[in-house]
Amino acid sequence: MTTFLLVPGLFMGGWAWEAVAAELTAQGHRALPVTLPGMAERAEEDPVGVGLREHTDAVAELLDTEGPGIVLVAHSYGIFPALAAADRHPGQVARVVFVDTGFPEPGESVAAQMPQLGLPDHALDGLVPVPEEIPAVHAVPPSELERYHRLATPQPVRTVTEPIELTGAWLKLPTTGVFCLANGLSLEFARTLHGTGLPRFAKLADPAVTFFELATGHYPMLSTPVELADVLMRAAAGEGVGLYED
């Protein structure tokens, strides 16, 4: 049995992982969807006062409580608090799984890594509003789209402007990247990044790093939860392809 700690992306709570968690549980594993402070059912916890540090502390506390041997799964923004927590407590983590996201550099913020989103510019009273729509390219079915708009909550702006604290300890952890092809991430793109020779992309070719590709958009926990759960179980077993494998 493997314990999966599931950290959501922007605007979402643990609810986003319900279908994935159900499939993992049905296959005999333990799944722990995370709702970060100030989000979803925790939105009453002074969301304006919540920053990346508070989100990191929440994940780190769960690692302390539930580890060692956790497979730490993070979608999109969730990699920031998840990776910072894993960097603090690498002995609690068996593998980090990046779901349609990259890894930040020490001192980098979400806003700095993804300036094209303009997240701080959209903030009102310390919160980034939930986007009005999820484009059709992401293949989220109507029922899940309705649920997203009903349950999604504004994102505390400090979570995307505060820099991540990393020592580099996480770099020694086995990792798996799950690319969602309709969102533009792929093995081919990762090879291009590694081919630049920039030090930040060196880990992509590490023998302990594996990859999977899913033929869906940026929200696979909503669009293809069974397929995503299967990939997570395979990742936990060390499966996947290396950067330059066919």
Side-chain angles (χ1 to χ4, degrees):
M1 181 190 76
T2 299
T3 296
F4 293 87
L5 193 62
L6 308 168
V7 184
L10 293 171
F11 313 111
M12 297 189 289
W15 60 264
W17 293 103
E18 286 178 2
V20 174
E23 181 65 18
L24 291 172
T25 301
Q27 297 299 323
H29 300 288
R30 188 162 173 257
L32 302 173
V34 178
T35 293
L36 296 167
M39 305 302 300
E41 69 270 18
R42 301 182 66 178
E44 295 182 1
E45 300 178 16
D46 183 27
V48 174
V50 172
L52 179 59
R53 175 174 287 275
E54 286 73 23
H55 280 186
T56 299
D57 290 345
V59 179
E61 183 177 346
L62 287 167
L63 291 180
D64 269 345
T65 303
E66 306 295 342
I70 285 176
V71 174
L72 182 59
V73 181
H75 171 243
S76 193
Y77 157 79
I79 200 61
F80 275 75
L83 203 61
D87 193 73
R88 287 187 200 173
H89 305 294
Q92 301 294 87
V93 180
R95 180 174 296 270
V96 181
V97 181
F98 298 68
V99 179
D100 212 42
T101 189
F103 43 82
E105 290 280 272
E108 194 170 42
S109 68
V110 177
Q113 188 186 66
M114 295 178 282
Q116 71 277 13
L117 298 180
L119 293 170
D121 299 331
H122 298 309
L124 298 170
D125 299 323
L127 299 172
V128 181
V130 177
E132 293 183 1
E133 63 177 352
I134 292 178
V137 67
H138 296 306
V140 178
S143 60
E144 288 299 295
L145 196 58
E146 184 278 330
R147 195 166 72 101
Y148 173 87
H149 286 297
R150 177 164 44 86
L151 298 177
T153 45
Q155 186 80 21
V157 70
R158 285 179 48 213
T159 65
V160 300
T161 57
E162 288 184 358
I164 189 171
E165 297 180 10
L166 296 172
T167 68
W170 79 271
L171 290 167
K172 298 178 182 180
L173 292 172
T175 63
T176 296
V178 180
F179 297 133
C180 296
L181 298 177
N183 196 43
L185 293 182
S186 64
L187 267 170
E188 181 180 357
F189 182 65
R191 289 167 184 155
T192 299
L193 294 177
H194 182 259
T196 66
L198 294 173
R200 71 176 295 159
F201 301 124
K203 184 174 173 63
L204 293 172
D206 189 298
V209 177
T210 63
F211 299 95
F212 292 89
E213 293 179 328
L214 287 175
T216 190
H218 184 57
Y219 302 89
M221 67 288 300
L222 304 180
S223 59
T224 54
V226 174
E227 291 86 347
L228 177 58
D230 178 67
V231 161
L232 297 182
M233 289 183 285
R234 293 173 63 193
E239 296 181 32
V241 300
L243 187 64
Y244 292 106
E245 293 181 18
D246 294 329

